[in-house]
Amino acid sequence: MADNLFQGKLMAHVKALDPAWRSAFEAEPVRQTLHELDRFLQDRLDAGTVIFPARPFRALHEVAPRDVKVVLLGQDPYHGPGQAQGLAFSVPDDCRAPPSLRNMFTELKREYADQYQAQRNSLVRWATQGVLLLNTALTVEAHQAGSHARCGWTTVTDAILTRVLQEAQPKVLMLWGSHAQAREALLKEHPPQGPVHVLKANHPSPLSALRPPRPFIGCGHFAMANRWLEAEGVGGIDWLSNDEPPLRAASA
């Protein structure tokens, strides 16, 4: 059995977060939603449902709000055994790269043809450099894509994005696909405290990566993000690094 199974007790995962992230959940509607999600997830587990990942808030353990340079927004975790890590688009190195991740590497190779090397499938190295790899739903049932997309997670992840917007550091929002692009409305609802650059393209899924109106393949987003960050006086992301980041203790 896969070792990335969610074991329950969602509120324990929340309490294990850094206070800077927990502050995102202070509003009563968000706290209430988290408790409702806790009960919902426990009911599903009691019914024998397999849920991924083991650490729904993993993305928040890898980068502090003040250090976020890029937000890369996904939809929901991978729903196969051993895949989901709690980081959008990322899978363990010993897991075969899903199609969307392969297309991301294809785009990296196109943008950095002279420097490209075979990439590891785990994107923890991006997260520790300041890339918030956040899905809009943080849990999923086995083999049921989108199964928790309407269970309240959007309230929670919108609160996380709003917390990021409160930081003055310049940041890039990579919004791939209509689902992610719908979150752009948060910029009007919660005006950011620092410069924000929005990059939009189709989702890297094979179903849309080459299609209009904004094909993902050829979008140039990785290099564009770095150029903008550097112009704002912030170091870019080493997208091609395969270095193993320092191990972080699993708090929950």
Side-chain angles (χ1 to χ4, degrees), residues 6 21 70 88 97 99 129 136 139-140 146 157 189 200 205 225 233 244 246:
F6 179 68
W21 282 120
V70 176
Q129 294 183 69
T136 54
T139 56
V140 71
T157 51
E189 297 170 17
K200 293 188 282 190
S205 162
E244 181 75 30

Side-chain angles (χ1 to χ4, degrees), residues 52-217:
F52 304 119
R55 300 172 63 194
F57 294 105
R58 171 76 181 278
L60 308 189
H61 286 285
E62 300 297 344
V63 59
R66 67 180 180 275
D67 296 326
V68 174
K69 299 179 180 179
V70 176
V71 177
L72 211 172
L73 201 58
Q75 295 187 18
D76 62 343
Y78 296 119
H79 52 81
Q83 291 183 307
Q85 296 178 294
L87 302 169
F89 296 105
S90 178
V91 296
D93 288 329
D94 60 1
C95 183
R96 186 172 182 232
S100 292
L101 183 58
R102 292 202 299 271
N103 275 339
M104 289 164 63
F105 293 157
T106 296
E107 175 58 20
L108 271 175
K109 186 175 183 179
R110 192 198 67 80
E111 294 184 38
Y112 296 100
D114 295 337
Q115 305 157 27
Y116 186 82
Q117 57 183 324
Q119 293 290 294
R120 296 170 51 203
N121 294 338
S122 171
L123 303 180
V124 176
R125 64 193 183 279
W126 292 2
T128 56
Q129 294 183 69
V131 182
L132 180 62
L133 296 163
L134 185 69
N135 284 310
T136 54
L138 301 185
T139 56
V140 71
E141 297 182 11
H143 311 300
Q144 298 291 329
S147 49
H148 290 180
R150 295 178 177 84
C151 298
W153 273 123
T154 301
T155 297
V156 176
T157 51
D158 277 2
I160 292 169
L161 290 169
T162 300
R163 176 66 185 84
V164 171
L165 293 175
Q166 292 172 356
E167 295 291 335
Q169 167 148 272
K171 57 190 64 69
V172 177
L173 302 187
M174 287 184 171
L175 305 181
W176 298 339
S178 58
H179 188 86
Q181 288 161 20
R183 314 287 18 107
E184 188 178 7
L186 289 173
L187 295 173
K188 293 183 179 179
E189 297 170 17
H190 305 279
Q193 298 302 303
V196 173
H197 187 47
V198 178
L199 297 175
K200 293 188 282 190
N202 288 359
H203 194 276
S205 162
L207 296 175
S208 59
L210 291 170
R211 293 184 177 179
R214 298 185 179 100
F216 174 78
I217 301 299

Side-chain angles (χ1 to χ4, degrees), residues 226-242:
N226 277 359
R227 286 196 297 270
W228 185 83
L229 288 169
E230 289 160 6
E232 291 291 327
V234 179
I237 306 299
D238 185 353
W239 300 108
L240 301 180
S241 171
N242 271 326

